[in-house]
Amino acid sequence: MPHKKQEEVLTVPGEANIGCPGPDNPAAGRTEVCSGCPNQTTCASLPHSGVDADMTAIRRRLEKIKHKILILSGKGGVGKSTFAAQLAFGLSARGMDVGLLDVDICGPSAPVLFGKEGHEVHRSNSGWSPVYVSDNLAVMSVGFLLNNSDDAVIWRGPRKSGLIKQFLKDTEWGPIDFLIVDTPPGTSDEHLSMVQYMKDTGVDGALIITTPQEVAMADVRKELNFCSKVGIPVLGVVENMSGLSLPFGSDLVSFSSGADGSDVTGVVRDVFAAHFMPAAPRNDANRKYLCPRLSIHVDVFPATRGGAAFMCEQAGANFLGRIPLDPSIAWASEQGRSLFHTQLETSATDANDEVNFSPTTTAVNMILNRTIELLETQNRCPQV
């Protein structure tokens, strides 16, 4: 009996048009998006069975997931992964069953953000089991597949796309309410692969993360354009690191005076206590309770051209809100903790108090509420 020829794995060519269906798609070379592509003739001549087994497997694997949201950003370093993690924490804190898929192949941060460094993915005949943070929150990342977390992932586009396809095809999420997909910055192979593999599974849309300054906004406009070209709805834009915000009584706040930078923190706090809380004892131990809702705000990254709100107004996109540059979210992320747990099990009492009083928690909650409202408007999300 002759041996059956092994099926060749085809990937999207690097010079392909945006929105390329892929050479393994029966529509390759025959759709409007293929017009003008240098590979159009070649793709159109390829034999197709009419059914892509991998795409069928992906649809079956994701069909029990109610909502799928992509987290995008045109610029790196804007806090996209941190936001994605806290969004997942926030949804799970409301009783939702949530999965987070980290497809940043070269810079996976999910193991740290969820406090699961060193954990491994369990594999069986039925697929890959994600790492569980809690009973209703699961995470999958290439970071769980590395022998050493410091190992560099030096892969070309086709291999990255192959792993993303395997994540989508083999991860056993089960019937969950939300799948949050944390993507790398830009509009690279990973993004095209996600669109190609998930376009038939019912993606609700994308949340785009930016910071206020123009150097980030310029790339985010490209991300909006990318979503428009590939047919991904934009649920809204979040402005992250929108000013530094700290509680007045925080241990991280100090005051200095003069050219030598003399520390006058105690003097300033005594004056504040005398004028605004005359009944409060003027001692160091009590400073944390000097109006804990009062915060200090500094525009570290000024929105010189109007910021995300103005960009959304011009682009006709939803502006979901601002998240301040707050050390409490950095602390929570380093510890792999959620901002939404009012009782954090930690000996770092001061940091714990600052998380509980954090304006970031309020801001993320408001953005989460707004996102759910947008999905409810589309009659696709149950009331929570």
Side-chain angles (χ1 to χ4, degrees):
M1 175 182 283
H3 292 289
K4 183 178 180 181
K5 183 180 179 181
Q6 184 176 6
E7 183 180 355
E8 183 180 2
V9 178
L10 302 174
T11 58
V12 177
E15 69 276 16
N17 294 345
I18 292 178
C20 171
D24 54 352
N25 190 304
R30 300 176 176 86
T31 66
E32 183 178 350
V33 75
C34 299
S35 179
C37 177
N39 305 293
Q40 184 175 12
T41 302
T42 301
C43 289
S45 65
L46 291 172
H48 295 290
S49 64
V51 178
D52 184 338
D54 285 338
M55 294 299 293
T56 299
I58 290 173
R59 282 194 297 271
R60 287 177 178 171
R61 186 68 80 178
L62 303 184
E63 66 184 1
K64 294 182 180 179
I65 299 175
K66 295 177 183 177
H67 307 288
K68 308 168 193 74
I69 299 177
L70 304 180
I71 309 297
L72 305 175
S73 175
K75 196 72 172 176
V78 298
K80 172 184 49 57
S81 294
T82 301
F83 174 81
Q86 292 303 326
L87 178 67
F89 273 129
L91 288 167
S92 66
R94 299 181 181 210
M96 300 284 194
D97 292 316
V98 183
L100 183 136
L101 175 59
D102 177 7
V103 295
D104 193 341
I105 307 300
C106 296
S109 52
V112 174
L113 292 171
F114 289 95
K116 292 297 177 181
E117 290 178 282
H119 287 246
E120 297 180 353
V121 171
H122 297 286
R123 309 177 193 187
S124 66
N125 291 334
S126 60
W128 290 0
S129 297
V131 173
Y132 278 84
V133 181
S134 64
D135 290 341
N136 65 332
L137 176 56
V139 180
M140 175 60 80
S141 169
V142 70
F144 297 131
L145 306 179
L146 300 177
N147 293 326
N148 186 327
S149 61
D150 293 331
D151 288 345
V153 179
I154 308 173
W155 291 357
R156 294 188 183 276
R159 193 173 179 188
K160 292 180 183 179
S161 297
L163 180 60
I164 291 172
K165 178 186 283 189
Q166 191 166 8
F167 275 155
L168 293 172
K169 182 167 62 77
D170 292 345
T171 304
E172 296 184 288
W173 299 108
I176 60 176
D177 297 303
F178 283 90
L179 177 64
I180 309 298
V181 182
D182 180 23
T183 67
T187 53
S188 58
D189 286 347
E190 291 94 324
H191 300 81
L192 290 172
S193 296
M194 288 303 304
V195 172
Q196 178 188 356
Y197 301 145
M198 293 187 69
K199 61 186 177 182
D200 294 331
T201 67
V203 177
D204 289 85
L207 294 176
I208 298 180
I209 316 303
T210 186
T211 49
Q213 75 274 37
E214 180 58 26
V215 69
M217 303 289 294
D219 289 338
V220 170
R221 293 187 187 94
K222 296 180 179 69
E223 197 75 44
L224 288 170
N225 183 258
F226 169 83
C227 289
S228 175
K229 287 186 174 181
V230 300
I232 296 294
V234 175
L235 293 173
V237 177
V238 175
E239 185 177 277
N240 197 23
M241 306 185 195
S242 186
L244 172 65
S245 184
L246 286 171
F248 179 83
S250 169
D251 288 334
L252 300 175
V253 173
S254 62
F255 300 91
S256 61
S257 176
D260 60 349
S262 300
D263 189 339
V264 294
T265 304
V267 175
V268 172
R269 285 183 169 139
D270 281 346
V271 170
F272 182 88
H275 288 274
F276 294 94
M277 296 187 68
R282 300 183 194 178
N283 57 65
D284 188 65
N286 195 57
R287 71 181 187 278
K288 187 173 296 297
Y289 305 100
L290 298 178
C291 191
R293 298 295 181 184
L294 180 68
S295 297
I296 297 171
H297 187 87
V298 180
D299 283 326
V300 180
F301 303 116
T304 56
R305 302 192 187 180
F310 182 67
M311 180 192 69
C312 288
E313 183 180 341
Q314 289 187 314
N318 294 313
F319 177 61
L320 300 182
R322 298 178 176 88
I323 301 175
L325 186 63
D326 183 351
S328 68
I329 194 170
W331 179 87
S333 298
E334 289 288 299
Q335 299 296 319
R337 300 300 183 95
S338 168
L339 287 172
F340 299 90
H341 293 165
T342 55
Q343 298 296 327
L344 295 178
E345 298 176 2
T346 173
S347 59
T349 305
D350 289 346
N352 184 43
D353 287 342
E354 285 169 18
V355 168
N356 294 335
F357 292 136
S358 169
T360 300
T361 307
T362 301
V364 175
N365 247 326
M366 292 176 64
I367 291 168
L368 199 159
N369 289 339
R370 179 63 176 139
T371 301
I372 292 176
E373 288 172 4
L374 288 169
L375 294 175
E376 288 175 350
T377 301
Q378 300 172 16
N379 294 320
R380 290 190 244 173
C381 185
Q383 183 71 35
V384 296

